[in-house]
Amino acid sequence: MKLDRKLFSKEVILFHQDIATQDEIFEKLNENLLAKGVVNDGFLAAIKKREKNFPTGLKLESGFGVAIPHTDPEFVNEDQIGFISLNKPIQFRQMGSDTEVVEAKMIFILCLKEAHKQLDMLQNLMTLFGDDAKIEKLYACKSIEEFLNLIS
Amino acid sequence: MKKLMVMCGSGVATSTVVMGKLKSWLADQGLDKKVTLYQSKVAEEVNHLDDYDVVVSTTLVPDNVKDKVINGVPLLTGVGANKVYDKIKEEIEA
């Protein structure tokens, strides 16, 4: 149940942000990912569109809400995960549903070039989502070092 | 041989996780020799879902094919996963 620290090497890890809309989340993450060369110019438009058509909110067993936005590999230069935790939850639609919404408080943005090679990572991320205590700790987390120790 | 299609929005991320879960589950159930797994994106498959015996999706599909498709999101989070496995098994054995 470990995520490779390399996937967070660009340190796009933002804690307890005050953000009011889903668009703002994507803009903030995109700005950071773009500056570090993880994604290309088409990423922002693609991720917004993709989330609209194929929502990625997930309500976990404890009721905690997360979202795992991701898009086609052509907008990604390097495998990486960006993270943002929010002071106030923002609504995402539940994955696979046209009616349910999730109050998401943590966003893991998955920038993947070839997901097939990242199967372990994706499975480990899902295992992490099943660990209520760890999810609470991640949400409370305030430093990148602490964050990396929790996930890896 | 039954054909089982796993789809998601991009055909690379969440469907990959579901593929992994189904692979081990099929082996545990002794069904791995009876089922061929396919993976794709919704947009590419939506017009020929009849080619498959079982279809699992982690994203929303158009209303006209909803009856044919099993929601695979519980396999990602584990919440309600057993029901989904039961349904898949039922369709494989149908």
Side-chain angles (χ1 to χ4, degrees):
Chain A
M1 199 177 46
K2 286 179 175 13
L3 290 171
D4 190 341
R5 280 175 180 241
K6 268 192 228 153
L7 288 162
F8 296 89
S9 61
K10 301 287 180 179
E11 301 195 343
V12 179
I13 303 172
L14 306 164
F15 301 111
H16 303 111
Q17 301 287 305
D18 286 304
I19 290 181
T21 67
Q22 206 183 83
D23 275 357
E24 262 181 74
I25 296 178
F26 291 143
E27 278 151 25
K28 183 113 197 170
L29 284 167
N30 179 65
E31 186 189 307
N32 284 273
L33 292 165
L34 204 55
K36 296 192 172 166
V38 176
V39 299
N40 63 35
D41 285 339
F43 184 75
L44 181 60
I47 197 99
K48 284 185 182 176
K49 187 175 169 211
R50 158 82 209 217
E51 189 64 32
K52 205 170 161 217
N53 294 333
F54 303 112
T56 66
L58 290 171
K59 191 185 244 183
L60 308 181
E61 196 123 36
S62 60
F64 196 99
V66 298
I68 51 164
H70 51 278
T71 187
D72 298 309
E74 61 191 281
F75 304 107
V76 175
N77 300 324
E78 192 180 336
D79 287 327
Q80 194 73 201
I81 301 177
F83 172 84
I84 197 162
S85 58
L86 302 165
N87 280 330
K88 286 189 184 151
I90 287 185
Q91 282 195 348
F92 275 70
R93 272 164 57 221
Q94 164 82 7
M95 194 184 289
S97 166
D98 49 4
T99 51
E100 276 175 81
V101 291
V102 176
E103 300 283 341
K105 292 205 286 186
M106 293 198 289
I107 315 299
F108 294 79
I109 193 164
L110 312 179
C111 307
L112 302 176
K113 274 180 79 70
E114 288 170 272
H116 296 276
K117 288 191 184 161
Q118 295 295 343
L119 177 59
D120 286 348
M121 178 281 283
L122 288 163
Q123 285 182 332
N124 291 342
L125 189 61
M126 294 305 147
T127 308
L128 173 73
F129 287 166
D131 185 339
D132 295 345
K134 204 158 246 191
I135 287 292
E136 287 301 330
K137 278 186 195 156
L138 275 177
Y139 185 61
C141 183
K142 289 190 181 104
S143 80
I144 290 182
E145 198 189 335
E146 192 190 344
F147 177 88
L148 292 174
N149 286 335
L150 281 168
I151 55 104
S152 63
Chain B
M1 202 65 154
K2 298 274 182 163
K3 294 179 176 175
L4 192 164
M5 165 57 73
V6 181
M7 358 181 246
C8 67
S10 60
V12 289
T14 54
S15 56
T16 305
V17 178
V18 171
M19 284 287 279
K21 299 236 168 165
L22 284 176
K23 249 180 223 165
S24 22
W25 175 77
L26 286 168
D28 286 349
Q29 300 286 316
L31 292 168
D32 47 328
K33 300 277 189 300
K34 290 186 184 161
V35 180
T36 312
L37 288 168
Y38 299 84
Q39 180 179 16
S40 186
K41 52 172 84 176
V42 171
E44 282 174 12
E45 299 303 325
V46 77
N47 292 321
H48 43 92
L49 292 181
D50 288 337
D51 295 353
Y52 306 99
D53 299 291
V54 189
V55 182
V56 177
S57 175
T58 56
T59 55
L60 208 55
V61 295
D63 284 343
N64 61 323
V65 295
K66 257 187 187 154
D67 292 346
K68 168 97 189 161
V69 178
I70 299 172
N71 178 359
V73 174
L75 302 186
L76 291 178
T77 58
V79 185
N82 285 340
K83 266 191 190 164
V84 177
Y85 285 129
D86 288 348
K87 180 97 175 88
I88 293 171
K89 194 169 183 183
E90 201 177 286
E91 291 198 7
I92 288 171
E93 287 169 349

